[in-house]
C-alpha cells in the first residue's frame, strides 16, 4: 500500500520568511519542507511537497494525490477563503485531509474566518506557526494507520 502523502501550499507561501514575518515568522518554505520530510520519515511516509500561486495547479495535484496518495496536508492560503474548486477537488478524495494555517485566521480579519476547506478536513491547525505542519503530519500518520479517531 502507498505511504505517499501530499503537502500542498497555496499562493504567496513561496515568500515565507520574507512575507510579513511578524505574522508568518522567519522560516522559509524550504525550512518547512525539510521539517515535513524529517517528520514524515519517522512515520515511514513519503512526501510530495508543492507550492503554487495558481489555483489550477493545486487542483491538479489534488487529482494526482487522489490516485496515488493516502493523505493530504494543505495550506490553501488565500484560496482557503475563496475556492469552491479546491473544496470540490478535495471532496473527491477518500483519505484524511488536514488543513493548516500558520497564523490564527480566527484572530484576523473577518474574511479569513470562513474556510471552504474546513468542511472536508479531518482536522484544522491554525496559529501554531510553521510548527503546524509537523503537527499535521503526526496526526495524518495516526489517521492513516488507523490508531486514532
Ligand atoms: C494562511 C492564512 C490565509 O488567510 C492567508 O491568505 C495566507 C496564509 C496562513 O497560513 O496563516 O496566505 O493560510
Amino acid at each position: 500500500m502507498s505511504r505517499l502523502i501530499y503537502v500542498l501550499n497555496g499562493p504567496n507561501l513561496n515568500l515565507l520568511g520574507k512575507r510579513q514575518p511578524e505574522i508568518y515568522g522567519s522560516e522559509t518554505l524550504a525550512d518547512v519542507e525539510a521539517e515535513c520530510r524529517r517528520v514524515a520519515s519517522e512515520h515511514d511516509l513519503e512526501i510530495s511537497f508543492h507550492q503554487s500561486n495558481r489555483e489550477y495547479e493545486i487542483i491538479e495535484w489534488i487529482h494526482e494525490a487522489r490516485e496515488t496518495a493516502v493523505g493530504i496536508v494543505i495550506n490553501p492560503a488565500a484560496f482557503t477563503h475563496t475556492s469552491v474548486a479546491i473544496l470540490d477537488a478535495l471532496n473527491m478524495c477518500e483519505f484524511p485531509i488536514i488543513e493548516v494555517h500558520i497564523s490564527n485566521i480566527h484572530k484576523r480579519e473577518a474574511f479569513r474566518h470562513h474556510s471552504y476547506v474546513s468542511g472536508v478536513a479531518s482536522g484544522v491547525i491554525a496559529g501554531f506557526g510553521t510548527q503546524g505542519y509537523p503537527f499535521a503530519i503526526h496526526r495524518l500518520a495516526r489517521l492513516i494507520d488507523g490508531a486514532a479517531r
Side-chain angles (χ1 to χ4, degrees), residues 26 39 58 101 119 122 126:
S26 56
V39 171
I58 295 169
H101 300 286
S122 301

Side-chain angles (χ1 to χ4, degrees), residues 10-13 19 23-24 75-81 100-105 108 111-112 127 133:
N12 302 306
L13 291 170
R19 173 193 185 195
I23 296 177
Y24 297 111
N75 181 350
F79 294 147
T80 308
H81 319 298
V100 172
H101 300 286
I102 296 165
S103 64
N104 180 358
I105 54 176
R108 300 181 64 193
F111 65 83
R112 296 187 203 274
Y133 287 83

Side-chain angles (χ1 to χ4, degrees), residues 83-115:
S83 183
V84 175
I86 289 177
L87 170 65
D88 285 349
L90 291 170
N91 262 324
M92 291 187 288
C93 297
E94 285 174 0
F95 46 56
I97 294 158
I98 310 286
E99 176 183 352
V100 172
H101 300 286
I102 296 165
S103 64
N104 180 358
I105 54 176
H106 301 290
K107 199 181 162 187
R108 300 181 64 193
E109 303 95 320
F111 65 83
R112 296 187 203 274
H113 298 177
H114 175 260
S115 164

